[in-house]
Amino acid sequence: MPLANKTKRLPVEEIPLLLSAIGRDRDQQAYKRVFYFYYQDLVRYSFSIVRDYSIAEDVVADVLLKLWLLEGKAMEIQNLSFYLFRAVKNSSLNELTKLQRQDSLDQNYEVMDPQNPEQLTISKEFVANIEHAIELLPPKCKTVFLLVREQQLSYAEAADLLGISINTVNRHVQLALSKLYELINKK
């Protein structure tokens, strides 16, 4: 079955019913209806940001999966189109940032001589120190830090996922950065 809009327009009055069916009843047919209705438009939108079709498809699949994983919270969405397009925009921008960061890292590693054992040892030690410092963070602080920094969730997404305020997420990230700086500079 092609991933295309099944109708020209999803009736506005049907959206709360679909969200309720997805969130409360875990109705896969309702989810598929939303998925197939929005998929192509969301992929086109993501593609306009990331300029890579396979990445755009991955971004949209992740966003739509997150909608399913919201369960009961899906019913709180006031404007489904706005929610999905905003989520795709944020995820696409995060992906673009991640790709740019990866390109930058790749360029840095090209400069480093892979045959130089001293540089490799220093790099491995530095990474090990960072990983060890992350492990020493308080559990909640560590969870928030990993969601925001490694999973690339926004503060709002992390707050929503953990059921805490955005200010609390911010406080945990600042605390984590402070402790990491402290722990890494001790060595």
Side-chain angles (χ1 to χ4, degrees):
M1 173 145 83
L3 297 176
N5 292 344
K6 294 296 177 200
T7 62
K8 291 284 182 202
R9 190 162 115 57
L10 196 58
V12 174
E13 62 277 359
E14 187 179 348
I15 293 173
L17 298 173
L18 288 171
L19 289 174
S20 177
I22 292 168
R24 185 181 12 234
D25 304 331
R26 309 304 290 149
D27 184 338
Q28 291 181 5
Q29 290 304 106
Y31 176 73
K32 284 180 182 178
R33 180 154 165 72
V34 169
F35 186 99
Y36 288 125
F37 182 79
Y38 284 103
Y39 184 81
Q40 277 189 335
D41 291 336
L42 292 172
V43 169
R44 274 194 294 274
Y45 182 58
S46 179
F47 179 80
S48 74
I49 297 169
V50 297
R51 296 291 182 207
D52 183 306
Y53 193 74
S54 65
I55 292 172
E57 287 181 317
D58 288 345
V59 164
V60 171
D62 287 346
V63 166
L64 290 168
L65 175 62
K66 285 179 185 175
L67 174 67
W68 177 258
L69 296 175
L70 283 174
E71 295 182 356
K73 291 185 179 185
M75 296 180 295
E76 297 172 13
I77 297 171
Q78 298 298 314
N79 183 332
L80 183 59
S81 290
F82 177 80
Y83 173 85
L84 291 173
F85 278 92
R86 171 63 66 89
V88 166
K89 175 185 174 188
N90 290 341
S91 295
S92 296
L93 291 173
N94 287 342
E95 192 62 34
L96 198 57
T97 301
K98 198 177 349 175
L99 289 170
Q100 290 168 343
R101 219 180 288 142
Q102 185 61 44
D103 286 347
S104 174
L105 285 173
D106 289 346
Q107 290 173 359
N108 288 341
Y109 283 122
E110 287 172 11
V111 173
M112 187 170 77
D113 180 10
Q115 301 302 317
N116 185 336
E118 183 181 351
Q119 282 183 334
L120 290 174
T121 303
I122 291 170
S123 295
K124 287 179 183 176
E125 284 177 17
F126 185 70
V127 169
N129 286 343
I130 291 174
E131 289 173 352
H132 178 69
I134 290 172
E135 289 302 315
L136 294 176
L137 291 172
K140 189 79 159 190
C141 189
K142 176 181 166 186
T143 301
V144 170
F145 182 78
L146 292 175
L147 285 174
V148 170
R149 294 298 172 142
E150 288 192 9
Q151 299 299 318
Q152 300 291 315
L153 293 182
S154 69
Y155 283 21
E157 290 169 329
D160 191 43
L161 186 65
L162 297 171
I164 58 178
S165 73
I166 294 173
N167 288 337
T168 304
V169 169
N170 184 34
R171 192 177 76 238
H172 280 300
V173 170
Q174 295 305 318
L175 178 66
L177 291 172
S178 169
K179 286 186 182 264
L180 289 174
Y181 181 77
E182 206 175 281
L183 290 167
I184 290 170
N185 284 326
K186 276 184 182 178
K187 302 207 177 231

